[in-house]
Amino acid sequence: MDATTGVSLELDDIQAGALYERPSPYVGTYLLLCIRDRRDGRELVRRLRRLVEPATAVGPVGETSVTVAFTYRGLEALGVPQASLDSFSPEFRQGMAARAAVLGDTGESGPERWEEPLGSPDVHVAIAVLSPDETQLEQVAVRAREAHAELPGIELIWRQDCHQLATGRTSFGFKDGIGQPAVEGSGRPPTDPRERPLKAGEVVLGYPDETGDLPPMPVPDVLGRNGTYVVFRKLHTKVAAYRSYLRARSATRAEEDLLGAKMVGRWQSGAPLALTPDEDDGELGGDPRRNNDFGFGDDPRGFKCPVGAHARRANPRDALDHEGSVDVRLHRMIRRGTSYGPPLPEGVTDDDGIDRGIIFVFAGAHLKRQFEFVKTQWLNDGIFIGAPLESDPLVGPRDGVGSFTVPQRPIRRRLQDLPPFVVTRGGEYCFAPSLSALAWLADLDT
Ligand code: HEM
């Protein structure tokens, strides 16, 4: 029971990695497996079950975790009864590739150009192993590999390693993972003191959500309860193009940093523009007690932080309170992203052809009104910010080129010819079941 909220989350049944932050620094690996034989699939789940820690077993941030999730096809391959399969959310049943046009994954980001086997029907099981160091990672990764060794009906079809860059930042140079909502009953306090923790049912199935209702939950109860939907996306970042774009439009290095910060809504250190609009403040950026303690209510026109900046679009905070039509709390996102690939060396503006970017991970009870809503309505579309033709300057999809408005006095600055800086390499909608559901899946006898 959470002493502050009175909510009792069954932490001993929830996968730790689905509920809690990854360590920092971290190293990790993502594995995708295909189940070619049902019996081997169930044996795999039985073995994986022993590797997954419940949320009660981990202390504050910093420990190794193994998270196991399944695609719709994966549950099908395990022999989950049809009535049960039909009870999952429609988006999950369709899978991410089928939702590509809705999500803006077209052209260079289209599923026909995704990295194999991402988006294919062969993706059944997704495993994420995240650890504070290589030694612990290797110990657990060996056990994860053993879980599918000697099971001829299981094939490892994809592996992606990730690691925190030495700078502690992501490939574009920004600190990430700061803006996160707290969850009632999780035992972790909010980092934004103005935001009440979200009702548990926004993240974990089987509990009331912000609407006061229980979110639709897959049946039977043992399969759905204490589970959560997980989105993963491999997002390639065009760092050289991003740097060149800013350089060509800036007279000085300071102006370049400012334009970059205007696009993100935070400075590279993580310091929010809302608190320090004119210059970076490294101490503020690195201070978890202060770097998420802000709103946009006093800056409706975006002179400090543009209304079109990435982090403001993704979480408009109190800026939408006056509108009355949209409740921001229904569209909050738990992010568990990591970085992959080496950094592009400081100052380089030529593309070296190396793949680098982010493994974007979302966890939540509502694929459609959380992940898909934020991605389509707030990041891809400009209507809600009053600029119908503008998509998110950093991660928005663009057919050709776009623009980005920086409100300033006496006249706003409009950046033109904005190319896409992020390309989707693939991804999938998954379901991370509870520990008891993993046991149930392993014991299926259909
Ligand atoms: C390569 C792609 C992406 C990059 C480089 C990126 C980068 C960032 C950065 C630097 C921040 C500010 C730091 C922070 O508040 O944690 C941020 C915040 C955020 N991003 Fe992204 N992001 C990417 C994709 C996405 C996508 C696809 C979504 C949603 C569908 C998203 C949702 C968010 C949210 C919800 C926040 C927190 C806003 C807040 O609470 O203030 N991001 N991102």
Side-chain angles (χ1 to χ4, degrees):
M1 172 95 64
D2 187 313
T4 48
T5 61
V7 172
S8 212
L9 259 184
E10 290 164 6
L11 296 173
D12 57 351
D13 196 34
I14 300 171
Q15 295 196 43
L19 191 63
Y20 293 147
E21 286 280 9
R22 53 164 169 67
S24 176
Y26 63 86
V27 282
T29 187
Y30 300 92
L31 306 172
L32 294 180
L33 306 170
C34 177
I35 301 171
R36 307 241 182 250
D37 174 86
R38 185 162 288 175
R39 226 169 333 153
D40 282 355
R42 292 171 183 171
E43 179 55 27
L44 170 76
V45 177
R46 188 166 297 115
R47 294 179 187 180
L48 289 175
R49 160 73 186 78
R50 291 185 215 121
L51 293 182
V52 175
E53 294 285 7
T56 35
V58 300
V61 183
E63 291 167 48
T64 303
S65 69
V66 177
T67 310
V68 178
F70 301 89
T71 62
Y72 176 83
R73 300 276 189 176
L75 296 178
E76 204 176 37
L78 285 172
V80 171
Q82 194 59 45
S84 212
L85 292 170
D86 292 344
S87 65
F88 281 84
S89 84
E91 300 76 32
F92 173 75
R93 281 184 274 144
Q94 286 173 40
M96 190 183 284
R99 308 285 297 163
V102 176
L103 294 172
D105 287 332
T106 55
E108 220 185 336
S109 292
E112 61 289 348
R113 300 179 65 178
W114 285 2
E115 186 176 311
E116 282 190 7
L118 302 179
S120 85
D122 282 350
V123 178
H124 294 164
V125 186
I127 304 173
V129 187
L130 290 168
S131 178
D133 60 60
E134 291 282 357
T135 316
Q136 290 188 54
L137 175 71
E138 193 42 33
Q139 283 165 1
V140 180
V142 165
R143 294 178 62 203
R145 280 197 290 273
E146 281 167 5
H148 66 84
E150 291 156 33
L151 291 177
I154 304 298
E155 193 186 335
L156 174 65
I157 54 173
W158 189 74
R159 172 182 172 162
Q160 175 69 60
D161 292 337
C162 64
H163 59 276
Q164 185 160 309
L165 302 183
T167 53
R169 301 179 183 179
T170 49
S171 53
F172 286 130
F174 290 83
K175 186 175 161 78
D176 197 1
I178 309 168
Q180 299 274 20
V183 181
E184 275 190 12
S186 70
R188 304 284 157 102
T191 53
D192 174 2
R194 301 153 196 243
E195 186 182 43
R196 262 182 304 115
L198 292 179
K199 294 283 177 221
E202 288 295 311
V203 180
V204 185
L205 295 173
Y207 303 83
D209 64 18
E210 287 289 324
T211 67
D213 294 329
L214 287 171
M217 192 172 84
V219 293
D221 229 57
V222 61
L223 177 59
R225 191 173 169 75
N226 292 324
T228 186
Y229 289 106
V230 172
V231 173
F232 87 84
R233 280 161 83 70
K234 180 172 178 181
L235 300 175
H236 166 73
T237 48
K238 296 184 171 186
V239 180
Y242 165 79
R243 286 184 189 165
S244 307
Y245 182 86
L246 293 181
R247 190 147 302 171
R249 280 150 191 85
S250 310
T252 61
R253 185 63 205 264
E255 193 187 349
E256 210 175 304
D257 288 348
L258 177 64
L259 276 186
K262 292 281 185 188
M263 284 186 184
V264 171
R266 290 183 184 267
W267 295 90
Q268 292 201 350
S269 72
L273 285 178
L275 296 180
T276 175
D278 301 320
E279 57 185 8
D280 199 354
D281 176 345
E283 223 172 278
L284 169 62
D287 183 349
R289 284 165 301 135
R290 293 191 294 142
N291 64 13
N292 204 30
D293 181 2
F294 66 94
F296 300 116
D298 63 341
D299 183 28
R301 298 185 53 199
F303 288 116
K304 289 196 278 182
C305 176
V307 285
H310 171 66
R312 183 164 175 171
R313 283 170 169 268
N315 179 13
R317 303 184 184 223
D318 54 346
L320 280 193
D321 278 0
H322 322 284
E323 311 288 317
S325 54
V326 178
D327 182 351
V328 174
R329 294 176 65 76
L330 299 182
H331 309 293
R332 298 291 287 119
M333 310 207 350
I334 301 268
R335 292 173 301 139
R336 297 277 176 261
T338 56
S339 290
Y340 73 89
L344 186 65
E346 186 68 22
V348 173
T349 52
D350 288 328
D351 187 14
D352 60 2
I354 296 178
D355 190 13
R356 57 176 61 83
I358 281 180
I359 302 296
F360 172 91
V361 177
F362 153 93
H366 300 272
L367 286 174
K368 192 174 177 124
R369 82 156 152 80
Q370 294 172 327
F371 169 71
E372 288 200 348
F373 180 93
V374 173
K375 176 76 174 93
T376 61
Q377 307 298 304
W378 288 353
L379 301 189
N380 295 2
D381 198 297
I383 293 173
F384 100 99
I385 58 157
L389 299 177
E390 291 190 357
S391 68
D392 186 295
L394 189 70
V395 312
R398 278 178 278 278
D399 283 334
V401 289
S403 62
F404 173 57
T405 304
V406 182
Q408 59 183 29
R409 295 187 177 94
I411 47 164
R412 67 183 176 210
R413 178 165 183 194
R414 182 162 285 157
L415 297 177
Q416 303 285 4
D417 302 329
L418 197 67
F421 296 126
V422 172
V423 178
T424 308
R425 287 272 153 92
E428 201 39 278
Y429 287 161
C430 301
F431 178 70
S434 67
L435 275 77
S436 38
L438 286 172
W440 182 83
L441 288 166
D443 288 342
L444 278 170
D445 58 6
T446 45

